C-alpha cells in the first residue's frame, strides 16, 4: 500500500471499489451519487469506466464537515 508521503497518493486515479473503501461507503452508494448528484467529483474514463482521486474525495469530505447537528455543511 502506498503511503501519504508519495507525491502521487492524492492525485492517482483509483477505481470505485477503492474509493468506496476510502470513504467507508458502498460501491452502490457511489453509483447512486453519480446518477443523482451530491457525491464526490469523478472522472469518466470511458462509457463504463469511472475513476476518482483521493484529492477529490478529501475535498468532498471537507465540504461535509459541520460543527453541530443544526449546522449546514460548508459549500
Amino acid at each position: 500500500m502506498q503511503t501519504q508521503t508519495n507525491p502521487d497518493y492524492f492525485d492517482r486515479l483509483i477505481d470505485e471499489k477503492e474509493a468506496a473503501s476510502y470513504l467507508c461507503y458502498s460501491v452502490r452508494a457511489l453509483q447512486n451519487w453519480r446518477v443523482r448528484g451530491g457525491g464526490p467529483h469523478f472522472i469518466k474514463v470511458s462509457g463504463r469506466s469511472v475513476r476518482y482521486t483521493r484529492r477529490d474525495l478529501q475535498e468532498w469530505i471537507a465540504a461535509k464537515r459541520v460543527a453541530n447537528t443544526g449546522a449546514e455543511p460548508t459549500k
Side-chain angles (χ1 to χ4, degrees):
M1 180 176 198
Q2 293 181 351
T3 64
Q4 293 180 11
T5 57
N6 183 333
D8 291 335
Y9 181 79
F10 286 106
D11 294 317
R12 186 176 64 86
L13 296 179
I14 59 175
D15 63 20
E16 67 181 353
K17 184 176 178 182
E18 192 172 347
S21 176
Y22 187 84
L23 294 173
C24 300
Y25 276 95
S26 67
V27 170
R28 193 68 170 149
L30 287 175
Q31 293 168 344
N32 284 332
W33 288 328
R34 286 198 305 267
V35 172
R36 298 178 182 153
H41 288 149
F42 61 93
I43 297 144
K44 192 166 185 177
V45 178
S46 67
R48 295 181 146 215
S49 184
V50 173
R51 298 291 183 265
Y52 294 85
T53 65
R54 287 182 186 89
R55 186 171 312 281
D56 286 338
L57 300 178
Q58 281 297 127
E59 288 173 3
W60 182 77
I61 291 167
K64 298 290 185 190
R65 184 169 291 200
V66 294
N68 59 61
T69 58
E72 289 291 320
T74 57
K75 298 278 179 175

